[in-house]
Amino acid sequence: MGVRDITDNQKSIFYLLTQDEKEELQHHISLSHYKKNEFVFKEGDKPTGFMILVNGKVKIFKEGVGGREQIIRMTKPLGLIGYRALLGEETHNGSAVTLEESLICNISAEFIFNRALKNPDFSYRIIRKLCQELGFSNARTVTLTQKHIRGRLAESLILLADKYGYEHDGFTLRAYLSREDIANLSNMTTSNAIRTLSTFANEKVIAIDGRKIKILDANRLERISKLG
Amino acid sequence: MGVRDITDNQKSIFYLLTQDEKEELQHHISLSHYKKNEFVFKEGDKPTGFMILVNGKVKIFKEGVGGREQIIRMTKPLGLIGYRALLGEETHNGSAVTLEESLICNISAEFIFNRALKNPDFSYRIIRKLCQELGFSNARTVTLTQKHIRGRLAESLILLADKYGYEHDGFTLRAYLSREDIANLSNMTTSNAIRTLSTFANEKVIAIDGRKIKILDANRLERISKLG
DNA sequence: CCGCCTGTATGTTTTATAGCATCAAAGCTA
DNA sequence: TAGCTTTGATGCTATAAAACATACAGGCGG
């Protein structure tokens, strides 16, 4: 993924801007580089613009009771960051931190409000994106509150596979999170994430080697997520 | 609230349509009457249109593990129902059931897509609404998973007060839910909702008389929600 | 009027998971 | 390389909340 993809890649939200709009967009873009584990913004910050992840991985999380963090979602290249707060005219209600070295493209709020949102195709694409994310969030609320530990962890692993895919071997998750992040994604303590991953490994559902996780039996994992 | 409010009330999402658009809207409206505890739509249904609640109360919930229901949100007059699925071009991912006798206004999908969404003011209002709801949903995910029973129940009571307000006495919640619904809103079993409500009543934070709930000490309730 | 069902109330038991403690391994820095 | 810090692993204990059981009250239909 590169900066060009922001206008030229079908998956980018800006793909269907008119040629004119795309040209103007160029004048409203700036790029920022982030190291691993760097904050992009913090809960309570005022949004500065519309951000697109060009390269890397970012987690968006909220601090809960006693500072315990819950990862709300994770972003892959061409994904949007912090747009909810900007478009909703609110402050950020979660924090964003890079999981690896990342490149983020910042588009001025002015361009979004005065140009992009005047284009109904763009607006509608934003609306669809928000609707989908809202559906996802509602579903997560239910599974995170109702499923048991095994089910929650299995769901998280499936989520990671869906979002980041596999390495060339077809088994290894293309995401190398700490156990703590896996726990924060799955609403459990780090100990329980470690313990349950070990159990899954014993059951040959996955194989673990440090942060490398191989999904050996995706069907079984799916079943654990649904029923466990 | 009446049907007129849909175009004339500032709080309605259609308020800022042009006069022309408002007139055309009249030809795309139909009204439906629902009795108490009637389904408006079910999880998995294809959305039929854009719905606005004119009168009454509706709960939107998802069925989770073992049929246990989690109330995602509740609607008051001029609130939207089922628009997420329509605009996101998905099936409903939750069910809607009336909590009291209700009047619902249905606007054709055709009008929304071909007319309303061509108006950037309307689109942007939808976007803002979605952003706010998404923020709410994310926040709920964290509190429902992390807060303890007392905190979750206190939060639900505050939510009900914010959404439906108080009767003329200034204390009685203008919402008369079953204990089961209160439980499903707060992610707990009915027994625990009953028990915890009793505890709050003993502590003089609230007073209960059947389904009538008086908030006696709103500050204390707020504190319980934050810390408890 | 009586019995039945539904909703509410409350006590007891069981269990999932948080919390804590300890230890090993790995990674980093001086 | 040695020492320090972070991360991962695992056992034990404590506890919040579910699950279960029982009982009572109010409304409804026969």
Side-chain angles (χ1 to χ4, degrees):
Chain A
M1 293 287 166
V3 182
R4 298 241 68 167
D5 285 306
I6 287 170
T7 48
D8 298 355
N9 189 314
Q10 274 200 36
K11 288 182 181 166
S12 167
I13 194 129
F14 292 109
Y15 178 71
L16 38 59
L17 289 185
T18 64
Q19 210 47 48
D20 267 18
E21 287 163 345
K22 283 185 186 178
E23 268 161 40
E24 192 174 338
L25 173 58
Q26 300 304 325
H27 304 121
H28 293 270
I29 278 186
S30 69
L31 273 179
S32 315
H33 184 265
Y34 292 84
K35 280 174 291 196
K36 191 175 168 171
N37 293 324
E38 223 178 321
F39 270 92
V40 179
F41 55 76
K42 289 191 185 174
E43 205 162 337
D45 284 356
K46 249 184 86 175
T48 57
F50 194 94
M51 290 187 268
I52 298 194
L53 181 65
V54 177
N55 265 307
K57 292 189 179 69
V58 170
K59 65 174 172 184
I60 285 97
F61 62 93
K62 271 182 78 71
E63 300 257 337
V65 182
R68 202 175 135 199
E69 86 180 42
Q70 174 64 47
I71 296 181
I72 300 295
R73 66 187 184 93
M74 303 175 68
T75 312
K76 64 178 171 184
L78 292 188
L80 306 180
I81 311 173
Y83 69 116
R84 194 209 62 79
L86 181 78
L87 296 175
E89 296 171 286
E90 298 178 352
T91 56
H92 288 297
N93 73 356
S95 304
V97 165
T98 51
L99 290 169
E100 1 177 300
E101 200 178 9
S102 296
L103 198 58
I104 293 176
C105 173
N106 203 299
I107 291 141
S108 78
E110 193 241 323
F111 176 81
I112 297 296
F113 284 109
N114 295 340
R115 291 282 275 161
L117 285 180
K118 304 292 190 214
N119 178 337
D121 292 336
F122 179 84
S123 287
Y124 184 53
R125 187 132 181 205
I126 290 275
I127 288 174
R128 260 200 350 244
K129 184 145 201 67
L130 282 165
C131 285
Q132 282 152 13
E133 222 186 292
L134 183 55
F136 174 80
S137 177
N138 288 340
R140 279 296 273 175
T141 302
V142 176
T143 59
L144 286 180
T145 54
Q146 294 195 0
K147 281 185 186 175
H148 284 183
I149 278 209
R150 287 168 59 86
R152 298 204 299 274
L153 182 64
E155 182 173 294
S156 291
L157 293 176
I158 293 168
L159 232 60
L160 288 174
D162 289 348
K163 169 86 54 174
Y164 297 115
Y166 297 101
E167 300 289 2
H168 297 304
D169 65 4
F171 295 101
T172 305
L173 283 183
R174 214 192 278 273
Y176 301 84
L177 307 189
S178 68
R179 301 293 194 261
E180 193 181 359
D181 278 334
I182 294 177
N184 292 341
L185 183 62
S186 316
N187 180 37
M188 62 185 65
T189 55
T190 308
S191 316
N192 276 328
I194 292 169
R195 214 187 302 273
T196 312
L197 281 172
S198 300
T199 314
F200 284 177
N202 283 333
E203 295 169 359
K204 308 280 185 222
V205 179
I206 64 173
I208 45 182
D209 172 17
R211 294 190 176 189
K212 191 200 283 183
I213 298 177
K214 283 188 185 176
I215 309 291
L216 301 179
D217 190 342
N219 291 331
R220 184 95 197 286
L221 204 60
E222 196 78 53
R223 257 179 297 144
I224 295 173
S225 167
K226 285 226 176 63
L227 311 166
Chain B
M1 293 287 167
V3 182
R4 298 241 68 165
D5 284 305
I6 287 170
T7 48
D8 298 355
N9 189 314
Q10 274 199 36
K11 287 182 182 168
S12 166
I13 194 129
F14 291 109
Y15 178 71
L16 38 60
L17 289 185
T18 65
Q19 210 47 47
D20 267 17
E21 287 164 343
K22 283 185 185 176
E23 268 160 41
E24 193 176 335
L25 173 58
Q26 300 305 325
H27 303 119
H28 292 269
I29 278 187
S30 70
L31 272 179
S32 314
H33 184 266
Y34 292 83
K35 281 174 292 199
K36 190 175 169 170
N37 293 325
E38 223 178 321
F39 270 91
V40 179
F41 55 76
K42 289 191 184 172
E43 204 161 338
D45 285 357
K46 250 183 83 174
T48 58
F50 194 94
M51 292 187 269
I52 297 194
L53 182 65
V54 177
N55 265 308
K57 292 189 179 70
V58 171
K59 65 174 171 182
I60 285 96
F61 61 93
K62 270 181 78 68
E63 301 257 338
V65 182
R68 203 174 134 201
E69 86 179 42
Q70 174 65 47
I71 296 180
I72 300 295
R73 65 189 186 92
M74 303 177 70
T75 313
K76 64 178 171 184
L78 291 188
L80 306 181
I81 312 173
Y83 69 116
R84 193 208 62 79
L86 182 78
L87 295 176
E89 296 172 288
E90 297 178 352
T91 56
H92 288 297
N93 74 356
S95 304
V97 165
T98 51
L99 289 169
E100 356 175 304
E101 199 179 10
S102 296
L103 198 58
I104 293 175
C105 173
N106 203 300
I107 290 139
S108 78
E110 193 240 322
F111 177 81
I112 297 295
F113 285 109
N114 296 340
R115 291 281 276 162
L117 285 181
K118 303 293 189 212
N119 179 336
D121 292 338
F122 178 84
S123 286
Y124 184 53
R125 188 135 178 202
I126 290 274
I127 287 174
R128 260 202 348 244
K129 186 149 197 65
L130 282 166
C131 285
Q132 281 153 12
E133 222 185 292
L134 184 55
F136 174 79
S137 177
N138 288 340
R140 277 295 271 176
T141 301
V142 177
T143 58
L144 286 180
T145 54
Q146 295 195 359
K147 282 184 185 174
H148 284 182
I149 279 210
R150 287 169 59 87
R152 297 204 301 273
L153 183 63
E155 182 174 294
S156 291
L157 294 176
I158 293 169
L159 232 59
L160 288 174
D162 289 347
K163 169 85 58 173
Y164 298 115
Y166 297 101
E167 300 288 2
H168 297 304
D169 64 5
F171 294 101
T172 306
L173 283 184
R174 213 192 278 274
Y176 301 84
L177 307 189
S178 67
R179 300 293 194 262
E180 194 182 356
D181 278 334
I182 293 176
N184 292 340
L185 183 63
S186 317
N187 180 35
M188 62 185 65
T189 56
T190 307
S191 315
N192 276 329
I194 292 169
R195 212 188 303 273
T196 312
L197 280 171
S198 300
T199 313
F200 284 176
N202 283 334
E203 295 169 358
K204 309 275 184 230
V205 180
I206 64 173
I208 45 183
D209 173 16
R211 295 192 174 188
K212 191 199 283 182
I213 297 176
K214 283 187 185 177
I215 309 292
L216 300 180
D217 190 341
N219 291 332
R220 184 96 197 286
L221 204 59
E222 197 78 53
R223 256 179 298 143
I224 295 173
S225 167
K226 284 226 176 64
L227 312 167

